[in-house]
Amino acid sequence: MKKYLTMGPLLAGAALLASVGVSSAEGTYTIGISNTVQGNGWREEMICAMKAQALASGEVAKLNIAHRNTDAAGQLEDIRNLISAKVNAIVVNPADPAGIKAGLEEATKAGIVVVAVDQAVTEPSAYIISNNQEQYAYLGAKWLFQQMGGKGEVLYMRGAAGASADSDRDKGFKKALAEFPDVKVAQEVFTGWQQDQGKQQILSFLATGAPINGIWTSGIDNVIVDALVEQQAPMVPVVGADNAGFVGQLNSVKGLVGAAVTNPGSIGGAGITLALQILDGKKPAQQTVLVEPQLWENATDEGKAKLKAAADPSLSPEWPVSISIPDWTTYTKDQIVACKGPGE
């Protein structure tokens, strides 16, 4: 069963959760964190949201963070190290659901609460709180194909191969593609959710001289616009995420028509909240909670107004502007920007 939420005011925690126990004393929990992409702005915001929420909660004494660039085998090792450290909960952004399933099962058997954020896992004992990745891709792709007039060539710039978020987004993209039979994929690439890799890929594609009518990106977006500007290439419609740099470009780059689909890195903070609720004896009514995305575009006055309101040039260009999620995060902007957890 899945519980679908919107990015507007969410249902209050009391409506979502059924109390089955009593709260622990403040500042007593140790939370383990496992993440496999480092140096990516979205993931860095996610980690900072986890730290900020742990601090703001008053319930976390310590965070044990495994935050590095690695694969599923490396993440499985990190998870087993967290189990050995006897953490109370593990909040994980999975590299590959199948590759870490055994570790998540071992954690549950050891009495550790497991919460997956951003992406789904296949271990049935784990809880999931995630942005709706399939809908993220569908919303953006459908808007893009409409801007293309329902025909033409699209550059399809995916995330990381094997990641469940990428697989879910691929479903959403292809769902939209099926509705527009005259839109064709000019080239499909995996950016690995890395800025430098994505920029090199778009530069290589532009060098071929092959025509395109639109670009869909899996959140590596501002460098794509930079490349179009630098190469004086045709400014085709571009879809990306709600990263501060891209939102700023949608407000300022001449000739750019595009849309930002919300995908808040603050889902990491929501994962900490969910883990603490479960530790406090308040299990969610459903195993999976999804946050529904919004689309902000600059092709209409209404869309421009939303983008202008969302813009935050004070944030890192790679950070999503959606730095909090109502009813799931309680930290301040200063706290998430400071990126300090308990004891730091």
Side-chain angles (χ1 to χ4, degrees):
M1 292 289 292
K2 295 181 179 180
K3 183 70 177 179
Y4 295 90
L5 302 178
T6 67
M7 279 298 295
L10 305 185
L11 295 176
L16 283 171
L17 306 170
S19 177
V20 294
V22 295
S23 177
S24 177
E26 286 191 353
T28 59
Y29 294 130
T30 298
I31 306 294
I33 293 170
S34 174
N35 176 54
T36 62
V37 179
Q38 197 173 31
N40 167 282
W42 193 98
R43 295 291 185 105
E44 298 301 332
E45 181 181 279
M46 180 193 76
I47 293 292
C48 290
M50 290 173 169
K51 289 183 175 184
Q53 188 57 41
L55 183 64
S57 74
E59 293 189 78
V60 181
K62 180 183 177 183
L63 291 174
N64 191 332
I65 302 176
H67 175 42
R68 61 175 176 141
N69 288 315
T70 189
D71 57 10
Q75 186 167 44
L76 181 60
E77 178 185 358
D78 289 343
I79 290 168
R80 285 174 170 155
N81 287 337
L82 292 173
I83 295 170
S84 297
K86 301 186 185 302
V87 298
N88 299 108
I90 295 174
V91 181
V92 56
N93 192 327
D96 173 56
I100 65 168
K101 185 178 185 300
L104 301 186
E105 183 180 10
E106 290 164 20
T108 299
K109 288 181 178 178
I112 298 169
V113 171
V114 176
V115 174
V117 296
D118 181 42
Q119 311 187 74
V121 291
T122 54
E123 169 52 41
S125 65
Y127 295 87
I128 299 165
I129 183 162
S130 173
N131 302 304
N132 189 335
Q133 303 294 355
E134 183 173 339
Q135 186 68 3
Y136 166 94
Y138 176 74
L139 275 181
K142 182 176 181 178
W143 180 90
L144 177 63
F145 301 157
Q146 289 171 336
Q147 290 297 311
M148 292 167 55
K151 60 182 179 181
E153 302 285 329
V154 61
L155 180 58
Y156 181 28
M157 306 191 74
R158 298 179 61 173
S164 58
D166 179 80
S167 299
D168 287 344
R169 290 182 180 186
D170 187 52
K171 293 175 186 175
F173 181 88
K174 288 178 177 172
K175 177 182 174 183
L177 196 64
E179 297 175 8
F180 294 86
D182 293 327
V183 173
K184 307 299 180 185
V185 175
Q187 187 177 40
E188 177 178 335
V189 297
F190 287 92
T191 66
W193 286 310
Q194 296 292 346
Q195 296 278 92
D196 55 349
Q197 186 169 319
K199 187 166 187 181
Q200 186 55 55
Q201 287 167 333
I202 183 64
L203 290 173
S204 297
F205 181 84
L206 293 174
T208 70
I212 50 171
N213 306 100
I215 302 172
W216 183 93
T217 79
S218 190
I220 299 300
D221 37 41
N222 60 300
V223 293
I224 304 307
V225 176
D226 288 343
L228 294 175
V229 173
E230 292 165 10
Q231 299 299 308
Q232 298 182 328
M235 193 60 72
V236 298
V238 179
V239 168
D242 58 331
N243 301 316
F246 184 57
V247 169
Q249 289 172 329
L250 291 174
N251 284 320
S252 64
V253 175
K254 185 177 180 180
L256 173 62
V257 176
V261 185
T262 58
N263 183 54
S266 46
I267 198 73
I272 295 293
T273 297
L274 180 56
L276 290 172
Q277 289 175 335
I278 297 167
L279 286 170
D280 289 342
K282 303 171 184 176
K283 294 183 179 180
Q286 287 83 22
Q287 205 80 4
T288 298
V289 178
L290 295 181
V291 176
E292 291 296 328
Q294 294 181 2
L295 183 143
W296 305 330
E297 43 73 29
N298 68 357
T300 66
D301 289 341
E302 181 184 1
K304 289 176 182 177
K306 290 180 179 179
L307 284 165
K308 185 176 180 180
D312 190 344
S314 72
L315 294 175
S316 165
E318 295 179 46
W319 271 39
V321 296
S322 306
I323 59 173
S324 62
I325 300 177
D327 292 337
W328 285 104
T329 60
T330 58
Y331 50 74
T332 65
K333 179 180 176 180
D334 286 346
Q335 285 177 317
I336 187 174
V337 171
C339 201
K340 301 292 184 182
E344 291 189 66

